[in-house]
Amino acid sequence: MEEIPPPPTSETPGAPSTSLLSRLTNIFVSPNEVFDEIKSSRPNSANWIVPLVAAMLAGIVYTLVVFSQPAVIHRMQEAQEKKFQDMVAAGKMTQAQADQTIATVQKYMSPGFMKLMGCLAAVIMNVLTLLFTALVFWLVGKHAFHADLNYTRSLEAVGVSMMISVLGAVAAMLLAVIYGNIFMTPGPALLVGHFDAANKVHRILSALSLTSLWYVAVLSIGLTRLTGASFLKSAAWLYAIWAALTLGPILLFGGK
């Protein structure tokens, strides 16, 4: 008796259907597909390790390029001098104290020191930001939306979304070089004629970078696809948390 061949088997459940490179590029143009694949595939640590390394490298390049610009260092030193002179005018310190403090601060604002600290920050802060953002993502999905979401999936979703931040670092680097100001970001800050780092409104405009807002929007899409919640609910939660963590400190401690 002739054997009947078994029916063709489908792909192994959970196997990724696209390459890592495709996922990291598609996050810019088709984030829905990327998050759907993360949700249906087996855990893949490359989804967050590779973007994390890319973000670190982007931060290091930003630091080395921007703090090699004399105009950037000079503007930062001027801002510090103005801050202490304002304190002298307000009677909070004497001119001698201000001069001594300014000399000490500017000693540590040398290009070499700023590059060293900036490179360390690019490594440490990107790791902490990834872990903390994934924690917030998971807490909202798990406890606010009561979804079956684990931290590993959250880490992957936030990881691939970090590619938006990599693009933002490149854009911010170019603007800092052009304007000689680290607070110039792609967004409403470009409309400010004379940027004052001590001005709360100016700092808020700097924080409202289009790439930052885009990043939160992509995270919101990810939260929607992984939890089944509506995009409006996801965006409301994540933008509210972003505003509290980003704009809150500026409003409280950002100056005048």
Side-chain angles (χ1 to χ4, degrees), residues 6 19 40 45 52 54 58 61-62 70-71 95 107 115 132 154 162 195 199 202 215 236 238 250 254 256:
S19 67
S40 61
S45 58
L52 175 60
V61 171
Y62 173 95
Q95 185 62 53
K107 178 182 178 181
K115 289 176 184 178
F132 177 75
S154 301
M162 285 183 74
F195 193 95
N199 187 302
H202 290 185
Y215 170 65
L238 295 186
I250 297 175
K256 60 187 179 181

Side-chain angles (χ1 to χ4, degrees), residues 55-138:
M56 290 178 179
L57 293 176
I60 290 172
V61 171
Y62 173 95
T63 297
L64 297 178
V65 171
V66 170
F67 292 121
S68 294
Q69 309 300 313
V72 171
I73 300 296
H74 179 68
R75 188 181 291 270
M76 293 175 66
Q77 291 175 341
E78 278 189 333
Q80 288 296 326
E81 289 181 16
K82 184 178 183 301
K83 174 183 176 181
F84 291 116
Q85 290 301 332
D86 289 343
M87 294 177 68
V88 171
K92 297 181 179 180
M93 65 184 345
T94 66
Q95 185 62 53
Q97 290 173 327
D99 292 340
Q100 183 179 6
T101 306
I102 289 171
T104 302
V105 170
Q106 292 189 352
K107 178 182 178 181
Y108 291 101
M109 290 183 69
S110 65
F113 182 79
M114 297 298 291
K115 289 176 184 178
L116 175 62
M117 297 306 296
C119 289
L120 289 175
V123 174
I124 296 171
M125 292 307 298
N126 273 299
V127 172
L128 295 179
T129 298
L130 171 63
L131 297 177
F132 177 75
T133 305
L135 177 63
V136 171
F137 189 99
W138 173 72

Side-chain angles (χ1 to χ4, degrees), residues 31-44:
N32 283 344
E33 295 179 7
V34 176
F35 293 122
D36 285 345
E37 183 175 327
I38 288 175
K39 183 178 181 179
S40 61
S41 302
R42 288 190 295 266
N44 186 351

Side-chain angles (χ1 to χ4, degrees), residues 32 35-36 38-40 134-151 153-154 157 218-235 237-238:
N32 283 344
F35 293 122
D36 285 345
I38 288 175
K39 183 178 181 179
S40 61
L135 177 63
V136 171
F137 189 99
W138 173 72
L139 287 174
V140 172
K142 182 73 173 180
H143 298 286
F145 297 159
H146 306 289
D148 183 17
L149 179 66
N150 59 48
Y151 186 76
R153 293 293 188 206
S154 301
V218 170
L219 285 178
S220 301
I221 294 173
L223 191 58
T224 296
R225 306 303 290 190
L226 267 63
T227 65
S230 71
F231 175 77
L232 289 179
K233 287 180 65 176
S234 298
W237 270 93
L238 295 186

